[in-house]
Amino acid sequence: MSAYNSGTAFTHSCDTVTQTTGILGQLQYGSRYFDIRPVISGGQFMTGHYTDVTQLNSWQGANGQSIQSIIDDVNNYTASNSELVVLYLSHDLNTDLGNSSYAPLTQQEWNTLLTLLQEGINNLFVTSASDLTTLTLNTFIGNNKAAVVVVVDPSGTGISLGNYANQGFYPAASFPVYNQYSDTNTLSTMMADQLAKMRAQKTNLDASYFLLSWTLTQDGTQATFCSAFPSLDPSILSLANTANGALSSNLLPACNANCYPNIIYVDNINSSACATLAMTINGLSNS
């Protein structure tokens, strides 16, 4: 969520925007795994950051980049970079149904979205493998060609990939990842929680993928007042700067050849520092 293009009555950029650059900029900084949350807004497919606020009996949130612009960003990057790009689609919503009646995308709406992605994204990776996390990087891009994987994790029940399955589109079961964020705005609590989860989940080279969610979450007061009192109630981006500043010095000492994150998940990536850290950790796991 790198832009605030339209939002509900009680939201601002400070409580919805999580990145300062679009997908292309994040790719250029070294990002390879993206949390994409597709929504329908005004009949168009957009990215969205929404929350069901029970106290208001309504959904609150905002739209970011369009899905088409993300397709363009990915194609722009992979045209000259033979890299693997993973787009993880989840938290889907149709926001055209009325503020208190947002609903997950239907099968037909998913089909329309997947058609848009299939016809637009270059270098979709096709395989019959049932678990993508067991494949080596060389399998994806060893032919000196970029590879794009779209993982589909629908919010609604009964959604099928149908003819799109294994044609660049894969269910969440084909990309199993431990992903549990800390849900706190306190840095020390988040760090202790995520590092403990990493040690418990990633015990050897064959353990399932572990996503380190190095993110801080606004509490209700911060989300409500960050626009009016930014110095007292920090934005998502400000919290991210706090978390990111403590990433390398705290994560690297906790890693070894058998215990490390497969994905480092951060808000407000605005330099190549995270990619440099990832490459350092790769050196530990390959030594």
Side-chain angles (χ1 to χ4, degrees), residues 25-43:
Q26 293 172 53
L27 282 162
Q28 291 168 336
Y29 283 136
S31 294
R32 296 294 179 263
Y33 173 95
F34 298 91
D35 170 18
I36 305 295
R37 303 185 178 190
V39 302
I40 295 176
S41 178

Side-chain angles (χ1 to χ4, degrees), residues 52-180:
D52 186 6
V53 183
T54 55
Q55 298 92 325
L56 299 175
N57 190 33
S58 70
W59 288 82
Q60 295 296 315
N63 301 326
Q65 272 190 273
S66 70
I67 295 298
Q68 183 60 57
S69 73
I70 288 176
I71 293 171
D72 295 340
D73 279 358
V74 171
N75 287 343
N76 187 339
Y77 186 77
T78 58
S80 56
N81 295 275
S82 300
E83 297 279 358
L84 169 63
V85 178
V86 178
L87 306 178
Y88 197 105
L89 276 56
S90 65
H91 297 75
D92 50 287
L93 283 175
N94 185 334
T95 70
D96 287 345
L97 300 177
N99 191 260
S100 61
S101 304
Y102 292 178
L105 301 185
T106 65
Q107 182 69 66
Q108 182 176 354
E109 289 163 349
W110 267 112
N111 290 347
T112 302
L113 173 58
L114 295 179
T115 297
L116 175 67
L117 295 168
Q118 185 179 54
E119 294 179 350
I121 296 177
N122 300 330
N123 303 303
L124 285 169
F125 179 76
V126 176
T127 182
S128 59
S130 59
D131 186 346
L132 296 173
T133 67
T134 64
L135 304 180
T136 64
L137 186 59
N138 189 62
T139 304
F140 292 98
I141 58 175
N143 58 358
N144 200 33
K145 182 180 178 181
V148 180
V149 167
V150 181
V151 181
V152 179
D153 189 5
S155 298
T157 58
I159 302 299
S160 169
L161 288 179
N163 293 332
Y164 301 96
N166 299 97
Q167 300 301 309
F169 303 91
Y170 304 89
S174 293
F175 195 81
V177 179
Y178 181 91
N179 178 5
Q180 295 290 331

Side-chain angles (χ1 to χ4, degrees), residues 189-251:
T189 302
M190 180 275 288
M191 292 193 301
D193 174 71
Q194 288 298 305
L195 295 178
K197 286 173 177 174
M198 182 179 74
R199 287 189 290 268
Q201 299 295 323
K202 194 69 178 181
T203 56
N204 58 69
L205 291 174
D206 295 324
S208 297
Y209 264 31
F210 177 79
L211 182 151
L212 183 88
S213 188
W214 202 262
T215 57
L216 294 173
T217 305
Q218 288 175 317
D219 63 21
T221 299
Q222 291 170 331
T224 301
F225 296 108
C226 60
S227 178
F229 306 105
S231 60
L232 296 175
D233 298 300
S235 66
I236 295 173
L237 295 178
S238 294
L239 289 173
N241 290 338
T242 298
N244 294 346
L247 175 58
S248 182
S249 60
N250 287 276
L251 175 58

